[in-house]
Amino acid sequence: MVEVTVTPQASLSDRPVQIRVQGLSPSQLVTLRAWLKDEHGERFQSCAFFRADTSGEVDPGKHAALGGSYSGVWPMGLFWFLQPDTLFRRLVKRDVVGSPFHVRLEVFQGIQLGTDPQEQPLASCEAERWFVSPGVQRELIREGRVRGALFLPP
């Protein structure tokens, strides 16, 4: 049975995570896809093609991506190379305190270039990417022409 995991499942957006796919056949060719929807409902996604090792595992931190949104060994590549489905959109988080980005990770058989809704992933999981640690308070600053935010630790 194929399984994809992200460790830790919930983390700050500037912290690395480990992505692992297990239960594949040795040398099996798969596509790893990451996607999320921003606060406006715009979809951002990335993908990378991998060949499983002799034990049937894929680890983007150890195994080189053969192509897709990037190639080579990039442990956080699926997060760093997220691109919008609609041109000229930027991935911006407005509500940094109240909610995380929910990033969906999916594994597909072979090379998958499109987002065919008929295609079922072999496995999937979800990662939460937070921008502020729990307990941090955000104070808006408006003094004269100065605008900003002060983040206070718990």
Side-chain angles (χ1 to χ4, degrees):
M1 178 169 184
V2 177
E3 180 183 29
V4 60
T5 57
V6 59
T7 308
Q9 186 270 333
S11 62
L12 291 173
S13 63
D14 64 343
R15 302 281 192 232
V17 295
Q18 182 183 28
I19 301 168
R20 289 186 64 192
V21 181
Q22 297 173 303
L24 299 168
S25 301
S27 300
Q28 183 176 353
L29 189 62
V30 294
T31 299
L32 237 62
R33 178 175 295 133
W35 64 271
L36 64 85
K37 287 193 178 181
D38 71 3
E39 295 163 333
H40 299 291
E42 292 291 332
R43 184 177 159 122
F44 291 76
Q45 66 177 329
S46 63
C47 69
F49 316 129
F50 292 93
R51 186 168 302 282
D53 63 14
T54 55
S55 61
E57 293 185 6
V58 168
D59 181 346
K62 296 177 185 173
H63 304 116
L66 306 174
S69 301
Y70 66 95
S71 60
V73 179
W74 292 81
M76 296 293 294
L78 289 169
F79 293 93
W80 291 341
F81 291 96
L82 289 166
Q83 294 293 314
D85 284 355
T86 306
L87 292 176
F88 308 113
R89 301 287 185 186
R90 289 186 1 183
L91 184 57
V92 176
K93 183 73 170 146
R94 299 279 182 217
D95 180 16
V96 295
V97 177
S99 65
F101 273 136
H102 294 275
V103 183
R104 189 87 178 150
L105 297 163
E106 299 173 329
V107 181
F108 294 91
Q109 169 66 37
I111 294 177
Q112 297 290 323
L113 295 175
T115 56
D116 183 6
Q118 302 294 330
E119 189 67 36
Q120 291 297 315
L122 299 173
S124 64
C125 71
E126 190 170 279
E128 290 182 1
R129 301 293 281 171
W130 289 87
F131 285 81
V132 177
S133 293
V136 171
Q137 294 179 353
R138 180 180 186 207
E139 298 288 333
L140 291 177
I141 306 297
R142 295 179 188 265
E143 191 69 37
R145 293 176 37 194
V146 176
R147 301 288 184 264
L150 173 65
F151 293 89
L152 298 169

